[in-house]
Amino acid sequence: MTAPRLRARLAAVAAEDRAALIVYLTAGDPSPAATADVIAAAARGGADVVELGVPFSDPSADGRAIQAAMERALAAGGGLVSALAAVAAARAAGVDVPIVLFGYYNPIFVYGVERFAAEAAAAGVDAALTVDLPIEELDELAAPLAAQGLGVVPLLAPTSTPARVARLRALAPPFVYYISLTGVTGAAFDPARVAGDRIATIRAATGAPVAVGFGIKTPADAAAVAAVADAVVVGSAVVERIGAAGATGAAAAVEAFVGELRQAMTRG
């Protein structure tokens, strides 16, 4: 089985009868040296899983907030190598929250998929998600990751057909990321668009927990999605706070906001 730490965390959260909180951060923002501290702050605030974005020059699936975070990270020297170093530093500091690397396939392809998988495993990564590798091509990444004990997290959109959803069962992913809207990250969010029956259908077809993301910005948004999903992903609102807080206040700002999200998602 791949990604045992990630699967165990999601199973433990489900046993607590609540949805998991997945917090997106951009590696290298506010700086490569500070990323491990920000990961630790998210964990202290109550994140069940951290998605660590790998800065990329052409983030076509991301809205303005995450584009800006990636620009800050690239300007500070961030990239795939420093993202792996940040994970290793967080693990060395005792952070045990599962970490999913999130990004685009091009940097991994250029780096070498097998090399990436081996170094990600050594750093303490649990799984990887690429927004631009189609379901039909996912095994190109999933197989090298599985050889190192890491999982691959597939993306599904509101437009994904039943046949494409069903293909994911063979990958046995630790979870499936369901995009709440047909747009980029940080777009306007309407909880009414997140249909519980759609999530239940995906869960049954894939045999995996379903995380919902894109556009979830407030504790109220997170609470609404937590009522129907297995996990809730918040990204743009987190990196906006990092941008506003700057290097000296980023960790404290993340810990405080993640705490608000986690409290709002408490059921009952």
Side-chain angles (χ1 to χ4, degrees), residues 88-258:
R91 296 300 186 215
V95 175
D96 65 354
V97 63
I99 299 175
V100 178
L101 283 191
F102 182 107
Y104 296 81
Y105 189 57
N106 182 275
I108 295 172
F109 179 78
V110 171
Y111 198 69
V113 182
E114 285 78 12
R115 177 187 178 194
F116 164 75
E119 294 185 14
V125 172
D126 296 283
L129 185 163
T130 53
V131 299
D132 54 353
L133 194 59
I135 292 171
E136 291 77 6
E137 307 296 333
L138 261 182
D139 199 53
E140 181 175 328
L141 176 62
L145 289 176
Q148 298 290 340
L150 276 63
V152 65
V153 176
L155 278 174
L156 289 174
T159 54
S160 297
T161 65
R164 299 188 84 233
V165 173
R167 293 180 68 129
L168 298 181
R169 180 175 283 274
L171 289 172
F175 70 90
V176 174
Y177 190 129
Y178 178 63
I179 301 170
S180 68
L181 49 83
T182 50
V184 297
T185 59
F189 179 73
D190 178 2
R193 287 198 305 244
V194 182
D197 57 350
R198 172 68 165 158
I199 293 169
T201 299
I202 293 171
R203 187 186 298 120
T206 62
V210 180
V212 176
F214 278 43
I216 300 166
K217 290 185 175 180
T218 69
D221 292 343
V225 176
V228 296
D230 301 301
V232 179
V233 186
V234 183
S236 294
V238 178
V239 301
E240 284 174 345
R241 282 161 174 77
I242 292 173
T248 57
V254 167
E255 182 175 352
F257 183 53
V258 172

